[in-house]
Amino acid sequence: MQKYKAPPGTHDIFPGAAKWEENSAKWGEIESEFRRLCRLYGYGEVRTPVFEQTDLFVRAVGTGTDIVAKEMYTFIDRGDRSMTLRPEGTAPAIRSYIENGLYGDGGVTKLFYIGPIFRYERNQKGRYRQHYQCGLEALGSSEPDLDAEVIQFALSFYKAIGIERLNLKLNTVGCPVCRPLYRKALLEYAEPLLTDMSPDNQRRYIENPLRMLDSKDPHDQELLKDAPNLIDFVCEECSSHFQRLQSLLIELGVPWELDTRLVRGFDYYTKTAFEVQSPDLGAQSTLCGGGRYDGLVQELGGPTTPGIGFGLGIERALIALQTLSQESTPRTSVEAFVVTLGERARASRAVLLSDLRKSGISVDTDYSGKSIKAQMRAADRAGSRYAVIIGDNEIDSGSAQLKNLETGEQVEVEFGSLAEKLIN
RNA sequence: GCGGUUAUAGCUCAGUUGGUUAGAGCGCUAGGUUGUGGUCCUGGAGGUCGAGGGUUCGAGACCCUUUAGCCGCCCCA
């Protein structure tokens, strides 16, 4: 039995992996598609450290949240500082925005990131202790136009990679003016029912009352059927923001589902909250989550700056994509494979490989001195379209045998014109 | 943190009520073709049966412990 394994809840990403969420070629496709859209929408990349001082996350995400209470990878470094592997992407991006003064020119600053996220959780399908998110943050405008654009970005990303079946869930979670009023009303409503509710909801009543609403317990749902709705409590400003956003989404042709029970896990969200879910994913169906956070930049010590963003899970996107796709798992391949016979051919191989690569042709070869038959098999397995065969005869004549492995055709080509021939 | 379930070759899995030397398919490798892949045929390598302990004349199988995977709850991407 092997001694070392990837730590619990983590996974490798490698060439040829059968599961797409572990296949490095599929990862490349996702990331380059995301980057392409970022260029299209005007986002610039920010890369932040994978760890930050613990207090950044406590401050941003909120003490009462599950993430801060029990899911952070926190350690004391050798300088006696408390550090935490980032459990989400927004706080570090905002920290960097403030630290580097990226709010210079008075317009909207658009940032994106791609990187690992760490949360200490029990793993299951689509849930890891280290997973990767592509995320973006748009800072400097409180206009609902920006909300609409960000949401539409997320949806067009999924469409671009080939996921069509999606549910967009939308809600407004109010702001520091109106949310406390609602919270109070909800607590008043729930208190007499509390003894009848599930233990989970009794806990939520104390820790995070709004979360009671999305309990999956049918009995809880029955009890909360007539609970007050946040949407009836939001202030004038939040309400008109939400109205405007919805009409923009109609104009953009984006369908959504109003989910008044949608509550997200971070305390920093204000007004718009949204999730993109896939009906093809299993229990962990959320592909993307995001929302507006108008108080966060100030909370973290920057100037008063509204913002909105989202994070989307790369693994979950790939899991959903693979369940929907007929496509077989991709493998890496080269255009040509050099096969040698005898010492003289082997001796001249290095220069041949080098020349072909200089011409931009991807080539590989066998490094273990196998028989020609084995080398041909290796060429086949490498997915190569051509085999370039050289032996004593070819060295003497100054030309190679070029075999098309798809058609079986074989022609003699002078060394000097091999590259040109392979390009066509 | 809670619950269910699984662990045998590189991969997918067989392995009958405990009984010789633990099997198959795929993959890998060598040959059939002393210079030609994908099909076919033949041979070969590869497993302290997740780990530790126990019951037994005898354990891959039964019991306990432990570790890990998978799935669900919680929560989230």
Side-chain angles (χ1 to χ4, degrees), chain A residues 43-77:
Chain A
Y43 285 79
E45 181 172 16
V46 55
R47 300 196 194 194
T48 65
V50 290
F51 61 90
E52 300 272 356
Q53 64 187 83
T54 301
D55 185 55
L56 173 69
F57 299 115
V58 175
R59 186 53 90 81
V61 176
T63 331
T65 61
D66 275 23
I67 287 179
V68 168
K70 55 185 194 188
E71 292 177 357
M72 294 204 300
Y73 274 96
T74 296
F75 61 96
I76 304 297
D77 77 5

Side-chain angles (χ1 to χ4, degrees), chain A residues 246-307:
Chain A
Q246 292 179 83
S247 48
L248 282 164
L249 289 175
I250 290 170
E251 284 171 35
L252 287 167
V254 173
W256 75 92
E257 187 186 324
L258 178 65
D259 181 356
T260 57
R261 310 253 152 138
L262 176 67
V263 181
R264 300 201 41 75
F266 309 128
D267 285 354
Y268 55 63
Y269 283 120
T270 58
K271 294 182 177 152
T272 309
F274 68 95
E275 275 186 15
V276 180
Q277 300 185 344
S278 164
D280 302 299
L281 210 58
Q284 309 302 321
S285 61
T286 301
L287 289 173
C288 170
R292 182 165 272 285
Y293 44 83
D294 288 346
L296 182 59
V297 178
Q298 190 173 24
E299 176 74 19
L300 296 180
T304 307
T305 309

Side-chain angles (χ1 to χ4, degrees), chain A residues 310-330:
Chain A
F310 68 70
L312 62 90
I314 297 182
E315 285 88 348
R316 287 187 185 176
L318 285 170
I319 291 170
L321 199 53
Q322 186 169 26
T323 64
L324 294 171
S325 176
Q326 318 294 329
E327 213 182 308
S328 59
T329 302

Side-chain angles (χ1 to χ4, degrees), chain A residues 32-194:
Chain A
S32 62
E33 197 55 40
F34 186 75
R35 286 174 188 281
R36 187 181 70 81
L37 286 176
C38 284
R39 269 198 309 279
L40 233 45
Y41 283 77
Y43 285 79
E45 181 172 16
V46 55
R47 300 196 194 194
T48 65
V50 290
F51 61 90
E52 300 272 356
Q53 64 187 83
T54 301
D55 185 55
L56 173 69
F57 299 115
V58 175
R59 186 53 90 81
V61 176
T63 331
T65 61
D66 275 23
I67 287 179
V68 168
K70 55 185 194 188
E71 292 177 357
M72 294 204 300
Y73 274 96
T74 296
F75 61 96
I76 304 297
D77 77 5
R78 288 168 187 272
D80 230 20
R81 292 168 283 249
S82 179
M83 294 292 171
T84 294
L85 266 34
R86 65 171 172 229
E88 62 104 30
T90 298
I94 302 305
R95 193 226 78 227
S96 176
Y97 168 83
I98 296 168
E99 180 172 344
N100 299 299
L102 302 180
Y103 38 83
D105 54 8
V108 170
T109 303
K110 292 177 166 181
L111 301 171
F112 79 89
Y113 60 85
I114 300 175
I117 301 287
F118 304 86
R119 284 178 212 162
Y120 194 89
E121 303 180 275
R122 284 291 292 270
N123 53 112
Q124 67 190 66
K125 190 177 182 66
R127 196 177 70 183
Y128 302 92
R129 287 184 178 176
Q130 174 174 348
H131 76 279
Y132 291 74
Q133 287 184 21
C134 301
L136 49 85
E137 317 293 346
L139 298 146
S141 168
S142 50
E143 293 302 312
D145 303 64
L146 194 55
D147 303 41
E149 185 183 283
V150 164
I151 289 169
Q152 197 238 359
F153 183 117
L155 294 168
S156 43
F157 168 76
Y158 290 112
K159 189 169 183 189
I161 62 172
I163 299 176
E164 302 276 353
R165 267 152 55 88
L166 293 168
N167 301 324
L168 170 62
K169 302 218 166 176
L170 197 62
N171 194 20
T172 178
V173 296
C175 67
V177 175
C178 52
R179 193 161 18 172
L181 299 175
Y182 172 68
R183 191 185 145 104
K184 189 157 170 275
L186 181 63
L187 289 174
E188 277 166 15
Y189 173 87
E191 202 203 336
L193 306 168
L194 206 54

Side-chain angles (χ1 to χ4, degrees), chain A residues 354-370:
Chain A
S354 170
D355 286 348
L356 290 173
R357 287 169 181 152
K358 277 180 197 159
S359 307
I361 296 158
S362 64
V363 286
D364 207 347
T365 191
D366 169 74
Y367 298 95
S368 55
K370 288 176 182 160

Side-chain angles (χ1 to χ4, degrees), chain A residues 325-390:
Chain A
S325 176
Q326 318 294 329
E327 213 182 308
S328 59
T329 302
R331 61 173 183 178
T332 53
S333 60
V334 292
E335 290 158 54
F337 196 95
V338 174
V339 171
T340 63
L341 286 133
E343 284 311 309
R344 290 169 63 207
R346 271 190 95 166
S348 62
R349 178 177 60 179
V351 172
L352 177 61
L353 288 169
S354 170
D355 286 348
L356 290 173
R357 287 169 181 152
K358 277 180 197 159
S359 307
I361 296 158
S362 64
V363 286
D364 207 347
T365 191
D366 169 74
Y367 298 95
S368 55
K370 288 176 182 160
S371 68
I372 180 168
K373 180 183 173 122
Q375 290 184 60
M376 290 300 289
R377 291 186 65 192
D380 193 53
R381 273 185 284 110
S384 178
R385 290 182 60 210
Y386 290 95
V388 176
I389 303 160
I390 52 174

